[in-house]
Amino acid sequence: KEDGTALEPDLPGGALGVDNSAALPEPAALSWTVLREPLEGPGDFYECTVAPHVVEQQRPALVTGAAGAGKSHVLGRLEADLMEHGHAVRKISMTHVACRRLGAGAQTVQSFIHRHVLHGRFPGWLLVNECSMLSAPLATLLEQLANMEEGARFALFGDWEQLHPPMNHWRADPVPGGALKHARLLQHWADGTE
C-alpha cells in the first residue's frame, strides 16, 4: 500500500491449509495363492497345475523355481498350448542369450517394448522369462500394455535368487534389486498366483 503497510491476501474462499487429522491409507496386505509341485506321486506339474490355471481358466501366473527346475520347458509348453487355443503369444527375456534359448519368436524386452508399447499395442499373452531381472522403467512400460483395453495378460517366470536388474533406477534414484518381488505390480500381473 501507499502508506507502507502490507497488503492482506485476497482469499475469497478462505485460507488454504493442510488437514493432518486424516489417517494415511493402509494398502491391503498382499495375498498370494501358492501352488507347489508335488514332490511325490504321478503327474506332471505343467499338466496338473499350470495348464488348468493359465490355459483353461485364462488366469495369469508367476512360475518360480531354482535354476534348472524346468521353467523354460514350462514356458515352451505354455506357449504351444496358448497358441493352439488361438491366442496371440509373445516370449520376452532381458538378454539375447536367453532369447536364443527360448527358441523361435523370442525377443528382448527392449525390442518388444519398442514395437508393441511405444509404437502399437499387444492384446495377448506375454510370457516373461527371467522376470526378476526387469528394471523399474521396463516394468512401468510393460504395465502400459496391461492397462490398455484388451490389454496383455502375463505369465511370468523367474528365480529371485538369481541376478537382479542391472542399472535399476527410477528417476535417478536407485531401486533395490528385489523390489519387483515385493511389488503390488507383480501381484497384479500374476493375479496373486505363484
Side-chain angles (χ1 to χ4, degrees), residues 24-25 53 56-57 87 90 108 121 123 131 139 145 163 173 175 182:
L24 292 174
H53 182 83
E56 294 170 20
Q57 296 176 23
H87 297 284
R90 295 290 184 275
T108 63
R121 56 187 225 130
C131 66
L145 285 178
L163 296 172
D173 290 326
V175 176
H182 304 290

Side-chain angles (χ1 to χ4, degrees), residues 12-94:
L16 191 61
V18 176
D19 180 7
N20 291 323
S21 65
L24 292 174
E26 279 293 322
L30 296 178
S31 173
W32 285 89
T33 301
V34 179
L35 308 172
R36 299 194 186 278
E37 181 175 13
L39 298 176
E40 297 176 0
D44 163 294
F45 178 66
Y46 178 79
E47 292 295 330
C48 296
T49 306
V50 177
H53 182 83
V54 179
V55 179
E56 294 170 20
Q57 296 176 23
Q58 296 295 299
R59 294 183 61 202
L62 168 64
V63 178
T64 59
K71 297 181 298 292
S72 297
H73 177 73
V74 169
L75 187 149
R77 289 179 69 184
L78 183 58
E79 175 193 27
D81 283 354
L82 287 169
M83 289 175 74
E84 186 177 295
H85 282 80
H87 297 284
V89 180
R90 295 290 184 275
K91 301 178 288 190
I92 63 172
S93 194
M94 283 296 296

Side-chain angles (χ1 to χ4, degrees), residues 92 109 112-113 117 126 128 134-149 151-154 156 170 180 184-190:
I92 63 172
V109 174
F112 178 84
I113 286 172
V117 178
L126 191 55
V128 183
L134 280 177
S135 65
L138 294 177
T140 302
L141 289 167
L142 290 175
E143 175 60 6
Q144 290 181 23
L145 285 178
N147 289 330
M148 291 180 178
E149 187 177 333
R153 288 176 281 176
F154 293 83
L156 303 120
W170 181 253
L180 183 61
R184 291 187 176 285
L185 178 62
L186 181 69
Q187 206 262 356
H188 171 69
W189 282 353

